[in-house]
Amino acid sequence: MKIQPLPMTLHMISGPRNMSTAIMYAFAQHPEIKVVDEPFYGVYLNNHPEKAHPGREVILSAMSHDEEIVIQQLHKKQQDTLLFIKNMAHHVSELKNIRWMQQHHI
């Protein structure tokens, strides 16, 4: 069944070691839903150099460290579609701009 896409975002904010990745993969099975996994991970790692994470340098080289750029990238992906974002609570708890989460997000 084809659904009429709406510019809407389902934003799941989760904690570590739970079912969030399985839920994200379930949403990814739908052809009309775009899925983004932890888009603020690079921002978080850049803001916390004291944190020792596996693959830290690979993540920092692949992801933006700028919160506003990540938000712009998410808005671009959201246009005329359904977007599922999986975030970790500690990645978004220190964001300066949370207004973007109030627009078309459930």
Side-chain angles (χ1 to χ4, degrees):
M1 175 178 146
K2 183 156 176 73
I3 58 175
Q4 180 62 37
L6 301 170
M8 184 181 300
T9 299
L10 177 59
H11 192 172
M12 181 170 65
I13 301 175
S14 181
R17 312 288 181 261
N18 61 41
M19 301 265 316
S20 62
T21 300
I23 294 167
M24 178 189 69
Y25 286 142
F27 275 96
Q29 298 306 305
H30 196 291
E32 295 178 35
I33 299 176
K34 291 182 185 176
V35 172
V36 180
D37 186 17
E38 299 180 20
F40 292 98
Y41 197 16
V43 174
Y44 172 79
L45 287 178
N46 188 61
N47 291 342
H48 293 277
E50 74 283 0
K51 301 286 184 183
H53 282 261
R56 177 187 182 84
E57 295 308 316
V58 173
I59 293 164
L60 287 171
S61 67
M63 298 183 83
S64 176
H65 308 170
D66 185 309
E67 176 182 332
E68 290 302 321
I69 290 174
V70 174
I71 292 168
Q72 289 172 10
Q73 292 168 341
L74 292 172
H75 279 299
K76 225 179 205 181
K77 289 179 189 275
Q78 181 196 27
Q79 292 175 357
D80 300 321
T81 191
L82 297 169
L83 179 65
F84 179 91
I85 303 170
K86 183 192 103 177
N87 261 314
M88 302 301 283
H90 60 284
H91 295 177
V92 297
S93 64
E94 299 173 358
L95 294 179
K96 295 175 188 102
N97 178 358
I98 60 167
R99 289 185 318 272
W100 67 276
M101 283 194 251
Q102 299 167 343
Q103 300 170 339
H104 307 290
H105 288 243
I106 57 171

